[in-house]
Amino acid sequence: VQLQASGGGLVQAGGSLRLSCRAFGMILSEFSGNIWSWYRQAPGKQREMVATVTRGSGTNYADSVKGRFTISRDNAKRTLYLQMNNLEPEDTAAYFCHTIRNYKYDLWGQGTQVTVSS
């Protein structure tokens, strides 16, 4: 199983991006049953949780992105999304998708870079 993230890029402050994370090789029951998250890591900083979506599609967000970011999932496509609106320079970071397999094993995507210019 591999997670492939895409959708990052360079955008001006106030702009929008939509990140995608496709789970290749994962069966539907596992994808739909897992909790999925987006994390980000800026240079010189620790990786932080940005948003989480549960198996029941409940969501949780970091305070810094509430009201601007929306996490969602398409189980049939085995794809996780992060819609990011009203981007700020402080959102500049590498963004990683994440899940835990069998309640034990961390699985990370390769990261996609988001750069927001002021």
Side-chain angles (χ1 to χ4, degrees), residues 8-66:
L10 173 63
V11 64
Q12 287 188 330
S16 298
L17 285 173
R18 188 193 196 200
L19 305 183
S20 299
C21 175
R22 176 86 184 270
F24 288 93
M26 184 175 285
I27 62 175
L28 176 59
S29 60
E30 180 179 1
F31 186 93
S32 61
N34 282 6
I35 296 170
W36 290 87
S37 299
W38 286 98
Y39 285 74
R40 67 186 180 187
Q41 187 167 18
K45 294 188 176 182
Q46 286 190 329
R47 192 170 294 191
E48 63 174 353
M49 189 279 291
V50 175
T52 296
V53 59
T54 68
R55 60 182 62 87
S57 295
T59 57
N60 186 43
Y61 297 93
D63 288 343
S64 59
V65 307
K66 281 180 182 177

